[in-house]
Amino acid sequence: MSLESAATTAAPVARPNAPPKMQGDKVGVFYGEKQALFDVDLKIEQFNVTSLIGPSGCGKSTFLRSLNRMNDTIDGCRVVGKITLDKDDIYDPSIDVVELRARVGMVFQKPNPFPKSIYENVAYGPKIHGIARNKADLDEIVHSSLRRAGLWNEVKDRLNEPGTGLSGGQQQRLCIARAIATKPEVLLMDEPCSALDPIATAVIEELIDELRENFTIVIVTHSMQQAARVSQKTAFFHLGKLIEEGKTEDIFTNPRNKQTQDYITGRIG
Amino acid sequence: MTDAALPHAAVDTAAPAKRDFGLKRRHAAEFRFRLYGIVAIVIGLGFLAILLVSIVSKGYTAFVQTSITVPVEFSASIIDKDNERATNPRVLVSANYPIVARNAVAKALGVSIDDKAAMRDIAKFVSDGSRSTLREIVLADPSVIGTTRNVTLLAAADIDSANKGQIDLTVPQDKRKVSDQQVAWLDQLKQQGAISTPFNWGLLTFGASSRPETAGLGVALVGSLYMMAIVLLCALPIGVAASIYLEEFAKKNRFTDFIEVNINNLAAVPSIVYGLLGLAVFINFFGMPRSAPIVGGLVLTLMTLPTIIIATRAALRAVPPSIRSAALGIGASRMQMVFDHVLPLATPGILTGTIIGLARALGETAPLLLIGMVAFVADRPTSPLDPATALPVQIYMWANEAERAFVERTQGAVLVLLIFLALMNIAAILLRRRFERRW
């Protein structure tokens, strides 16, 4: 598939000496008394796609959700260690979670458009953050976001129809358009294709590869093929611990760790 | 043994032995269950039908009122015998209008006004309410004095009952409330075309009265209306705000659990207890007026709050969490999440819960008895601070009256209350449809 080759042959764009966009330092997450994540050290490079893989319950989604503090919404959830965004500690009391989430956007596993019009869906973020100065500005943001999410041609004539009336794949692209409309710096994707058919999945994967030019992307996926196709860096989690991380081709062709090898060859998980 | 010796091939080709899945038993059980369901529904509908038929058949006659249209001579010698109305307008208010009405009816019947016995019967033939009818005509236009004009007067309640065929005329005369003479007069007036049975607007406009024909739901309707407005204005904002806070903002801990348990308990508290609370707090402590819709409304607010809070919390909880994640994920604050996304989706449920709570409050009697809304109030209240009654309380009071005409009025009032409840439920359904259809 051209898609696959395009992704895997593309050299990582990261400037070798650029500081990481986000960095986790001994990150641990507790749900009540139970620790779900242990001492994760992970660098997220700018303008790269970092994929988090591992069996169910390994803590990869937990780690992803701690990157924009979505874990805060869960009662009894506690994060220890340090996560930085451009060297700022995002758990510092001076950080406003609203601003953080405007800078670190998120796309969820199940497409979750608002039960409002397609236009309203995309325009909501820019509206609440005051990104658009006037209606023309807002129109421009909505149109360009839909275009970049590859949805424009399919919805340009029905922007006022409900977003919930779209197909699953279209809904997920609408959610991506909604996420990028607030112009985040980092985009978190939590298994964005798990509810989609292979064709819609291929479209989204292509989209992720294009979005990499402007956004730093972290994606959680259950599909190792997908991780291999879209990401430049891969991190393997198991039982709440980060087992191995590195360049995607290294992880998949030459894993250093026995557990990683077992997982990618299908022996555990 | 021979079975076991059968070759395998024979077993494979033979039709598989019929297995017993107990299908017959299961189908029979299902059939029985459906039958029970149908029987239950039929019994329920049957009772409902009996209730409605009984109320409607007893109550529909309350919506018409026997009236007598006769030429009335506004005789100056009776109304203003000293001709002092120019200097003392009070005479027109206190004039002896019943005599005017009796004389008019006597004239129409050809009875001499000097026949004292017949005049006593006539006095019981025309409603005493004709006093206010005639007074209003004279006060509106004093020039009517000295002239004669056709006026429609209310018949007395017993005559009204007789006209509606509700009085058994086979009973000996001295054991019934209507004399043979009065029945004969009724027939005579009917033949003259003087008797009519127009729609009884008085039932909906008059205040309390000891005479059934001039007793109406006017005060009760206004009182109930004020109370519903107060309940809506107080209970909806407080209830929705409390629910949003508990459901979307409050941390789940022992304290919120405690509040939740207590809200559920409050919903089950007998309403008369709320009446005692209202009496102690609003009337005795805050010194609010007795019998006033403002107190009734506040008591019913307390009673309705748990219902609204429970309905609102259920509606909020029914909004999928993914919507909340979506809003928070693009950086909406909690308040923006609630007001832009969660609340619009919960609106149909909230409205339904509110209207059902209001409907319950509309039919509530016990707490109102304790705060003195069971009262004889003849004048319609002009503000929620004036004394008033409420629809169910009026029904309760009328049900205690002895006259035949109050029986039909009681049922008529029940019908009015049921119509209002039905309208509110229809409104709830329409609102829900309207908001749900948006997407």
Side-chain angles (χ1 to χ4, degrees):
Chain A
M1 275 184 79
S2 62
L3 200 65
E4 191 174 340
S5 55
T8 43
T9 53
V13 222
R15 284 122 263 196
N17 296 322
K21 184 71 187 167
M22 295 191 85
Q23 184 167 9
D25 189 8
K26 298 236 179 296
V27 178
V29 177
F30 294 83
Y31 293 118
E33 294 301 305
K34 188 175 163 287
Q35 189 164 9
L37 208 59
F38 302 85
D39 293 336
V40 174
D41 295 314
L42 186 63
K43 291 191 177 90
I44 313 269
E45 306 290 347
Q46 192 161 29
F47 302 128
N48 262 330
V49 178
T50 306
S51 60
L52 314 180
I53 61 170
S56 293
C58 68
K60 55 195 190 306
S61 283
T62 299
F63 179 71
L64 188 81
R65 291 167 60 87
S66 59
L67 292 178
N68 70 342
R69 293 181 58 176
M70 281 301 278
N71 280 339
D72 290 12
T73 61
I74 300 168
D75 273 340
C77 181
R78 194 159 50 87
V79 179
V80 297
K82 189 174 170 188
I83 300 175
T84 56
L85 171 65
D86 288 340
K87 298 206 168 113
D88 298 327
D89 183 352
I90 64 168
Y91 282 89
D92 191 87
S94 68
I95 293 287
D96 191 324
V97 70
V98 166
E99 186 201 335
L100 172 70
R101 289 183 192 144
R103 291 174 66 191
V104 184
M106 187 154 193
V107 175
F108 295 85
Q109 181 171 3
K110 217 175 123 233
N112 56 354
F114 298 128
K116 296 175 189 274
S117 72
I118 293 170
Y119 183 93
E120 285 285 316
N121 259 285
V122 185
Y124 183 69
K127 257 190 211 163
I128 59 170
H129 294 306
I131 293 172
R133 278 182 307 266
N134 50 44
K135 178 83 174 78
D137 236 16
L138 191 61
D139 283 350
E140 175 49 33
I141 292 172
V142 171
H143 295 182
S144 66
S145 303
L146 284 169
R147 240 179 245 118
R148 285 170 78 180
L151 196 59
W152 176 248
N153 286 331
E154 292 155 69
V155 302
K156 63 182 172 199
D157 300 322
R158 45 180 178 142
L159 289 179
N160 290 318
E161 283 175 33
T164 40
L166 298 171
S167 73
Q170 288 173 325
Q171 283 188 17
Q172 195 59 299
R173 277 180 285 153
L174 178 62
C175 292
I176 293 174
R178 182 176 67 189
I180 61 181
T182 57
K183 302 197 173 23
E185 296 152 42
V186 182
L187 198 53
L188 310 177
M189 297 178 150
D190 191 356
E191 299 181 44
C193 301
S194 67
L196 305 182
D197 68 43
I199 295 169
T201 301
V203 175
I204 302 261
E205 285 179 3
E206 196 167 10
L207 178 60
I208 291 171
D209 202 51
E210 284 164 18
L211 292 174
R212 179 160 69 90
E213 288 175 23
N214 303 87
F215 303 97
T216 304
I217 296 174
V218 185
I219 178 172
V220 164
T221 178
H222 266 298
S223 154
M224 281 171 284
Q225 290 80 2
Q226 186 172 61
R229 284 194 295 264
V230 301
S231 66
Q232 287 74 49
K233 273 191 70 183
T234 297
F236 170 64
F237 286 73
H238 188 51
L239 298 176
K241 294 191 176 74
L242 176 62
I243 304 297
E244 184 171 355
E245 54 128 345
K247 285 185 181 169
T248 298
E249 56 259 50
D250 291 346
I251 294 277
F252 281 99
T253 55
N254 194 15
R256 295 184 304 271
N257 188 291
K258 175 81 169 53
Q259 276 175 311
T260 315
Q261 188 168 20
D262 286 349
Y263 182 69
I264 61 173
T265 52
R267 251 170 283 172
I268 59 167
Chain B
M1 278 290 102
T2 49
D3 283 358
L6 273 175
H8 275 287
V11 173
D12 287 344
T13 51
K18 203 158 167 63
R19 287 167 61 194
D20 180 15
F21 292 106
L23 283 183
K24 214 169 174 179
R25 185 175 44 78
R26 286 196 265 171
H27 284 310
E30 189 171 326
F31 177 77
R32 273 199 309 277
F33 184 75
R34 284 187 189 201
L35 203 66
Y36 297 151
I38 291 169
V39 168
I41 289 171
V42 167
I43 291 175
L45 285 180
F47 277 116
L48 183 66
I50 291 170
L51 176 78
L52 284 179
V53 166
S54 124
I55 291 173
V56 171
S57 63
K58 281 187 195 151
Y60 78 100
T61 49
F63 291 95
V64 293
Q65 165 68 39
T66 307
S67 307
I68 312 163
T69 309
V70 286
V72 175
E73 190 195 350
F74 291 90
S75 154
S77 62
I78 298 173
I79 298 172
D80 185 15
K81 55 180 183 295
D82 299 330
N83 198 18
E84 55 182 359
R85 60 180 175 272
T87 53
N88 181 13
R90 293 281 312 157
V91 290
L92 295 187
V93 178
S94 56
N96 197 347
Y97 292 109
I99 295 279
V100 177
R102 278 174 227 165
N103 290 353
V105 175
K107 198 172 174 193
L109 289 168
V111 174
S112 162
I113 59 172
D114 298 325
D115 182 346
K116 290 247 166 68
M119 284 312 280
R120 269 199 298 277
D121 263 359
I122 285 183
K124 287 185 201 154
F125 194 85
V126 195
S127 165
D128 234 17
S130 51
R131 182 199 303 269
S132 54
T133 315
L134 295 177
R135 180 167 53 205
E136 272 161 33
I137 293 174
V138 172
L139 288 180
D141 179 16
S143 70
V144 81
I145 296 171
T147 64
T148 301
R149 71 160 67 168
N150 275 342
V151 178
T152 303
L153 302 170
L154 296 177
D158 292 331
I159 305 303
D160 181 42
S161 300
N163 186 39
K164 288 169 182 167
Q166 292 162 345
I167 287 181
D168 187 359
L169 296 176
T170 57
V171 175
Q173 189 180 197
D174 54 344
K175 287 190 176 165
R176 57 177 138 93
K177 293 203 151 190
V178 185
S179 67
D180 288 338
Q181 179 68 73
Q182 284 172 325
V183 175
W185 284 339
L186 186 61
D187 290 338
Q188 190 185 339
L189 286 172
K190 263 189 206 164
Q191 272 160 19
Q192 292 172 13
I195 298 288
S196 58
T197 50
F199 183 78
N200 188 4
W201 286 111
L203 181 68
L204 301 178
T205 54
F206 290 144
S209 168
S210 52
R211 294 183 297 269
E213 71 274 12
T214 53
L217 295 169
V219 172
L221 281 173
V222 175
S224 281
L225 193 74
Y226 278 138
M227 288 196 292
M228 289 305 104
I230 290 165
V231 172
L232 190 65
L233 285 180
C234 297
L236 184 62
I238 298 175
V240 171
S243 315
I244 289 175
Y245 178 74
L246 285 174
E247 203 58 39
E248 306 287 344
F249 292 92
K251 285 230 166 12
K252 303 272 171 286
N253 55 30
R254 286 237 177 107
F255 185 62
T256 47
D257 283 349
F258 178 74
I259 291 177
E260 168 145 22
V261 168
N262 277 292
I263 287 173
N264 291 335
N265 284 342
L266 280 180
V269 168
S271 56
I272 196 149
V273 176
Y274 285 101
L276 279 173
L277 178 76
L279 181 64
V281 174
F282 296 125
I283 296 181
N284 288 348
F285 187 73
F286 288 111
M288 290 183 174
R290 279 173 172 273
S291 310
I294 178 104
V295 180
L298 290 175
V299 168
L300 294 180
T301 297
L302 294 180
M303 204 197 76
T304 314
L305 262 178
T307 315
I308 292 185
I309 291 177
I310 290 170
T312 304
R313 292 186 71 180
L316 290 173
R317 232 171 288 160
V319 174
S322 66
I323 297 291
R324 293 183 178 84
S325 307
L328 292 178
I330 50 174
S333 67
R334 261 181 189 273
M335 193 158 149
Q336 285 169 329
M337 168 194 93
V338 170
F339 284 92
D340 294 346
H341 302 289
V342 178
L343 207 50
L345 289 175
T347 305
I350 294 173
L351 287 178
T352 311
T354 305
I355 292 179
I356 287 171
L358 275 183
R360 204 188 134 202
L362 179 65
E364 199 55 68
T365 325
L368 303 182
L369 301 183
L370 282 175
I371 55 156
M373 287 195 80
V374 49
F376 190 91
V377 185
D379 296 321
R380 276 201 292 276
T382 51
S383 81
L385 296 169
D386 293 340
T389 54
L391 273 177
V393 178
Q394 192 66 62
I395 292 169
Y396 168 77
M397 288 195 287
W398 281 354
N400 289 330
E401 299 276 356
E403 280 100 330
R404 178 64 186 80
F406 270 122
V407 175
E408 62 175 22
R409 273 173 173 71
T410 307
Q411 306 293 338
V414 171
L415 270 180
V416 171
L417 181 60
L418 285 182
I419 288 168
F420 274 104
L421 291 177
L423 286 178
M424 289 172 85
N425 282 324
I426 290 169
I429 293 168
L430 290 181
L431 278 173
R432 187 163 46 190
R433 287 235 184 104
R434 155 116 185 64
F435 280 98
E436 269 176 357
R437 222 179 260 167
R438 269 172 66 190
W439 299 120

